[in-house]
Amino acid sequence: MKESGVEWVQIKEAFKAKPGSRISLKGWVRTRRDSKAGLSFINLHDGTCQDPIQIVALNDLPNYESEILHLNTGCSIEVDGELVESQGKGQSVELRASEIRVVGMVEDPDTYPVSAKRHSFEYLREVAHLRPRTNTFGAIARVRHALSMAVHRFFDEREFYYVHTPIITANDCEGAGQMFRVSTLDALNPPRTEAGEVDFEQDFFGKEAHLTVSGQLNVETYCCALSRVYTFGPTFRAENSNTSRHLAEFWMIEPEIAFADLADDARLAEDMLKYVFKDLLDRRADDMAFFDKRIKPGLIDTLTHIVESPFLRLPYTEAVDILQKSSKKFEYKVEWGTDLQSEHERFLTEEHFKQPVILTDYPKGIKAFYMRLNDDEKTVAAMDVLVPGIGEIIGGSQREERLDVLDQRIDEMGLPKDEYWWYRDLRRYGTVPHAGFGLGFERLVQFSTGMANIRDVIPFPRAPKQAEF
RNA sequence: UCCCCGAUAGCUCAAUUGGUAGAGCGAGCGGCUGUUAACCGCUAGGUUGUAGGUUCGAGUCCUACUCGGGGAGCCA
């Protein structure tokens, strides 16, 4: 784009341009420092890279006194000038301004919510519309994008098809927690049946409908036709969870592979995590250096180590054994047949192995009906990928492809078999062994950036009592 | 939802056993300087989260609520 006869470039491109180039930059002021030698330094960012660029504004600019000396953090400007090698330390190049046009001033600098000082993440969450202007949240936005693209690229390179599974579901049987209702009925005065219950036959879909808690059941149908598929979409859980790693609305990646068993599934999970971490370290080196320096020292080493070394695989039964034999005092006793507590998972990843661990073959009693029953008839072919600091980042399994075994599991758990008619059809017509997993995208971003709270790695977090913006 | 902790200036925090609110940063003005977490001076800025209660007197004690943090459960 041309502006005043000078080419407008992104700041990340400006850093790569040759000194002597005449360019135009547009962005938002981060800081302004004046020198009585008759010039001001303006740090300008436009979101295209971690570092702001330094603008040098001499006092011979016509609007120096009237406007430039009044620029504050947050003001938007356009700058034409010549890229020159910097005389000062701290940056290689800077833009010597020949013209600065003020696009938007900050109305009241005294109350601008993200002034040039350190702010707590809790506070910035309250100004989520302005926090992307800070270096941390700009970096998070770029990392989110990079990870999203890496996920798609990973699957595309392996001939997986991206399947758009529905957001609204009328299955009341997905069994992954509380669901949000979707309805057009009058909530204050819904139609009633003769028995006095809400008559959902009169609702939009003719039956109860909810927001999806997982795309898995739907994506299995495409897996059993296209062989390798995945979904990557919004997912909703109405659980009253108040933790640093749960959201009511989050994005989940769910691949599903046909003619595959749990070992194939675990390999896919490992390959995928390594691919996206490596891609992130390569493509967003600037932001990762920032997270490593300011958010979580050692982050880059941790991710590099994960990329370079094989994941540990450990059956649940052996994990229980390790926990029982450890001298560590746990608040909850470890017993075969019960789910591991957070403290147990943390011990394994953070103290015992100090690396990600894939736990496999859990007792059937604590896992979902669709997970394939192992030959011991006590465990199922399930896996959890546990990482230090966060815990479960991936949950997956080989699916039960044998109709008689699936039916037995549905009965055992007291689930309504009729509701699963189309899911059961997959086992009646050309069934195949298949497997898949769910990766919580925000947990991936959390782990990749070292951010402590999941509400800070999604632009506008939804959680209990939190739906502002 | 449960347990623990917290809420004081735009932001981050102080304020002895209950006795009428202070600093730093940010902001405005001035000084100094090719500056970059700049530095120095001055100024403005607060019904102490909300609603009750105890007391001569409450930022401080009590109760409820709201919101936030840490941990737990549910999970991704």
Side-chain angles (χ1 to χ4, degrees):
Chain A
M1 185 186 275
K2 298 278 177 183
E3 185 78 36
S4 313
V6 185
E7 189 187 9
W8 171 29
V9 299
Q10 296 182 316
I11 290 173
K12 69 165 178 168
E13 298 303 327
F15 279 121
K16 295 186 227 158
K18 271 197 205 121
S21 313
R22 282 195 56 76
I23 56 173
S24 177
L25 299 175
K26 307 184 186 205
W28 293 265
V29 173
R30 184 151 283 153
T31 58
R32 188 197 89 236
R33 296 176 297 281
D34 305 319
S35 167
K36 270 298 178 293
L39 70 164
S40 292
F41 301 95
I42 298 164
N43 277 48
L44 192 72
H45 70 99
D46 67 357
T48 60
C49 52
Q50 172 61 220
D51 289 326
I53 195 165
Q54 177 159 286
I55 308 294
V56 180
L58 297 169
N59 64 0
D60 58 1
L61 292 170
N63 58 345
Y64 185 78
E65 296 278 339
S66 61
E67 292 189 310
I68 292 170
L69 284 181
H70 300 285
L71 289 175
N72 287 104
T73 305
C75 293
S76 51
I77 58 172
E78 300 173 350
V79 186
D80 299 341
E82 181 186 350
L83 197 71
V84 297
E85 286 182 31
S86 182
Q87 296 173 29
K89 290 175 184 169
Q91 60 280 318
S92 54
V93 293
E94 61 196 20
L95 190 71
R96 185 164 291 252
S98 55
E99 183 178 341
I100 294 180
R101 295 178 294 279
V102 175
V103 178
M105 292 298 290
V106 163
E107 192 178 274
D108 180 3
D110 192 35
T111 59
Y112 181 60
V114 289
S115 58
K117 75 175 291 292
R118 229 186 104 263
H119 295 286
S120 67
F121 293 138
E122 291 79 19
Y123 166 71
L124 288 171
R125 217 175 287 151
E126 295 170 13
V127 288
H129 58 311
L130 296 171
R131 67 178 182 169
R133 297 181 181 194
T134 64
N135 49 14
T136 302
F137 287 89
I140 290 165
R142 287 183 295 271
V143 164
R144 256 189 93 95
H145 169 81
L147 285 170
S148 296
M149 293 300 112
V151 164
H152 286 302
R153 206 177 306 114
F154 171 83
F155 286 125
D156 189 51
E157 287 173 5
R158 283 158 186 75
E159 308 295 332
F160 280 66
Y161 297 109
Y162 178 23
V163 175
H164 300 91
T165 49
I167 308 299
I168 297 172
T169 176
N171 301 332
D172 61 355
C173 49
E174 291 183 359
Q178 289 294 111
M179 304 171 88
F180 289 101
R181 183 184 304 289
V182 176
S183 174
T184 54
L185 294 178
D186 181 353
L188 299 177
N189 187 25
R192 303 277 180 179
T193 62
E194 283 179 19
E197 313 212 304
V198 174
D199 185 6
F200 287 105
E201 284 186 21
Q202 294 187 44
D203 204 348
F204 188 89
F205 296 106
K207 52 167 127 173
E208 289 190 74
H210 300 89
L211 294 177
T212 186
V213 292
S214 165
Q216 181 202 319
L217 267 48
N218 287 288
V219 89
E220 277 190 49
T221 68
Y222 271 69
C223 174
C224 293
L226 300 177
S227 301
R228 295 186 201 179
V229 296
Y230 71 105
T231 76
F232 185 171
T235 310
F236 307 88
R237 304 271 167 94
E239 298 287 352
N240 194 4
S241 297
N242 291 291
T243 77
S244 58
R245 56 189 187 282
H246 287 88
L247 290 165
E249 176 185 281
F250 63 101
W251 290 67
M252 188 153 65
I253 297 148
E254 295 173 284
E256 195 76 24
I257 46 178
F259 304 100
D261 60 16
L262 188 68
D264 298 318
D265 202 32
R267 197 174 310 120
L268 180 68
E270 179 177 352
D271 288 350
M272 176 185 177
L273 288 175
K274 287 181 171 175
Y275 181 99
V276 299
F277 290 146
K278 178 163 194 331
D279 197 76
L280 181 65
L281 290 168
D282 289 346
R283 289 178 187 249
R284 288 260 56 109
D286 58 344
D287 291 322
M288 294 310 289
F290 170 82
F291 288 119
D292 190 67
K293 185 178 172 197
R294 304 287 286 274
I295 303 294
K296 188 163 193 177
L299 178 68
I300 290 177
D301 282 348
T302 300
L303 292 176
T304 304
H305 180 71
I306 287 173
V307 169
E308 288 170 353
S309 48
F311 283 21
L312 206 68
R313 286 160 176 73
L314 187 73
Y316 165 92
T317 302
E318 288 180 29
V320 168
D321 205 42
I322 288 172
L323 290 164
Q324 286 175 337
K325 283 180 180 158
S326 89
S327 53
K328 176 100 175 173
K329 284 269 174 280
F330 295 113
E331 194 179 336
Y332 293 89
K333 203 169 83 178
V334 184
E335 256 181 311
W336 197 98
T338 61
D339 219 349
L340 298 182
Q341 304 288 314
S342 286
E343 57 175 341
H344 305 141
E345 297 181 349
R346 294 180 86 99
F347 173 78
L348 290 172
T349 58
E350 292 169 20
E351 292 181 50
H352 192 76
F353 295 117
K354 295 189 164 76
Q355 68 162 91
V357 179
I358 306 180
L359 288 189
T360 63
D361 304 298
Y362 284 79
K364 66 174 181 180
I366 57 171
K367 289 292 180 181
F369 74 93
Y370 52 73
M371 297 185 176
R372 191 179 194 279
L373 190 65
N374 286 326
D375 291 344
D376 62 12
E377 300 200 347
K378 291 188 293 194
T379 60
V380 290
M383 66 165 187
D384 282 355
V385 180
L386 309 178
V387 295
I390 292 177
E392 185 178 348
I393 196 170
I394 284 178
S397 70
Q398 184 174 344
R399 319 307 189 188
E400 183 55 74
E401 87 281 11
R402 299 160 297 186
L403 184 64
D404 56 334
V405 182
L406 181 70
D407 281 348
Q408 197 187 326
R409 291 277 288 146
I410 290 174
D411 289 341
E412 276 174 15
M413 298 178 102
L415 298 168
K417 198 182 287 176
D418 294 349
E419 299 271 349
Y420 296 99
W421 68 272
W422 55 265
Y423 190 72
R424 293 175 64 249
D425 268 6
L426 298 178
R427 279 73 181 166
R428 297 171 64 203
Y429 306 129
T431 192
V432 294
H434 61 290
F437 62 79
L439 166 65
F441 184 62
E442 281 72 22
R443 288 190 184 173
L444 179 69
V445 179
Q446 219 185 332
F447 185 70
S448 303
T449 56
M451 291 294 290
N453 197 311
I454 200 166
R455 298 178 194 199
D456 297 326
V457 298
I458 188 167
F460 300 103
R462 269 74 177 108
K465 302 281 158 59
Q466 189 171 54
E468 190 67 56
F469 304 101

